[in-house]
Amino acid sequence: DTEVTQTPKHLVMGMTNKKSLKCEQHMGHRAMYWYKQKAKKPPELMFVYSYEKLSINESVPSRFSPECPNSSLLNLHLHALQPEDSALYLCASSQPGQENTEAFFGQGTRLTVV
Amino acid sequence: AQKITQTQPGMFVQEKEAVTLDCTYDTSDPSYGLFWYKQPSSGEMIFLIYQGSYDQQNATEGRYSLNFQKARKSANLVISASQLGDSAMYFCAMRALSGGYQKVTFGTGTKLQVIP
């Protein structure tokens, strides 16, 4: 199983809503990532979890709150988002410390903030 | 700091022809990995090919090959016998140590369109 599963695939939320994005993998990877991708741009790293601990936060606003409840799951909690937060949110996983292994990506969640 | 540069925003190729997508990189980490991903309009990032900084031979995966020139810091992707399904965005990426952590940095991407 080389899949990273993200739910939901599409999400429309108002600026006062609270929602969560979910990501799951069963490849035994101990590094999981959230990326944000605007249209026609490359993915931008948001957070990295390594062995279920937050290791990198790329100065992401606090309205995005990541959570890694176990080695297979990664959540991104959203609250009081702005329209400019509308983007494709990609989750990825890999083995930490092994630069010769690829990161596997999910299909992403297309988020629209209205 | 690490940087990936893709200088071709868009490319056209005739079906069944070969095409080369350019990628140059910069890093101070002597141990790094270079990747190519394909992103169709559906959004998923599909891993294509990997090249390690210490690999002596160029990587190949089916119709994909990576032209790795370490001294020039380039890692170009060659797609042979292009197919209509190859039309997509292609991202070059590098995984290296940055600030004590393994980080993956993406280039700006090249949009490839295969013409029938």
Side-chain angles (χ1 to χ4, degrees):
Chain A
D1 181 8
T2 57
E3 277 195 1
V4 176
T5 304
Q6 288 188 244
T7 55
K9 287 187 170 45
H10 300 273
L11 178 63
V12 179
M13 61 184 290
M15 289 189 284
T16 58
N17 291 159
K18 286 185 180 181
K19 296 287 184 183
S20 296
L21 309 185
K22 297 186 183 301
C23 175
E24 188 170 4
Q25 57 88 16
H26 296 288
M27 294 178 279
H29 290 168
R30 302 302 296 275
M32 296 187 76
Y33 312 77
W34 280 115
Y35 285 85
K36 173 182 178 180
Q37 187 179 21
K38 301 284 278 184
K40 300 183 181 180
K41 297 288 187 182
E44 295 178 350
L45 183 65
M46 300 174 71
F47 302 104
V48 180
Y49 273 83
S50 182
Y51 296 99
E52 296 83 68
K53 292 186 178 178
L54 183 64
S55 58
I56 296 178
N57 176 343
E58 292 283 5
S59 302
V60 179
S62 59
R63 57 187 185 268
F64 295 92
S65 176
E67 178 196 19
C68 189
N70 60 56
S71 60
S72 300
L73 294 174
L74 184 66
N75 298 322
L76 186 62
H77 303 298
L78 314 173
H79 174 55
L81 294 194
Q82 303 296 311
E84 59 265 28
D85 296 322
S86 298
L88 178 68
Y89 288 84
L90 291 163
C91 172
S93 71
S94 68
Q95 284 295 17
Q98 295 183 20
E99 69 278 1
N100 62 341
T101 57
E102 70 272 25
F104 289 89
F105 283 81
Q107 289 194 316
T109 295
R110 290 194 186 275
L111 174 67
T112 303
V113 181
V114 298
Chain B
Q2 54 199 49
K3 187 177 179 181
I4 293 278
T5 302
Q6 294 179 255
T7 57
Q8 306 154 313
M11 291 280 286
F12 289 91
V13 64
Q14 202 77 37
E15 193 178 7
K16 300 181 185 178
E17 296 291 314
V19 64
T20 298
L21 306 184
D22 294 341
C23 173
T24 58
Y25 62 91
D26 192 20
T27 179
S28 56
D29 187 356
S31 179
Y32 52 89
L34 294 157
F35 306 86
W36 278 91
Y37 286 90
K38 171 184 177 182
Q39 189 176 41
S41 56
S42 56
E44 63 191 300
M45 297 286 278
I46 302 168
F47 166 74
L48 297 177
I49 195 167
Y50 160 81
Q51 181 83 42
S53 58
Y54 296 120
D55 292 344
Q56 297 295 315
Q57 292 191 326
N58 287 342
T60 59
E61 287 286 349
R63 294 187 298 112
Y64 305 107
S65 60
L66 201 153
N67 184 1
F68 181 48
Q69 297 187 45
K70 193 171 182 177
R72 297 180 60 185
K73 294 191 175 181
S74 74
N76 299 337
L77 177 70
V78 180
I79 305 175
S80 62
S82 297
Q83 302 172 357
L84 295 177
D86 294 335
S87 295
M89 279 293 283
Y90 287 80
F91 289 99
C92 180
M94 177 171 63
R95 187 173 177 185
L97 275 177
S98 177
Y101 295 97
Q102 288 284 336
K103 292 178 70 171
V104 176
T105 305
F106 286 85
T108 51
T110 296
K111 184 173 183 178
L112 177 66
Q113 295 185 64
V114 181
I115 305 166

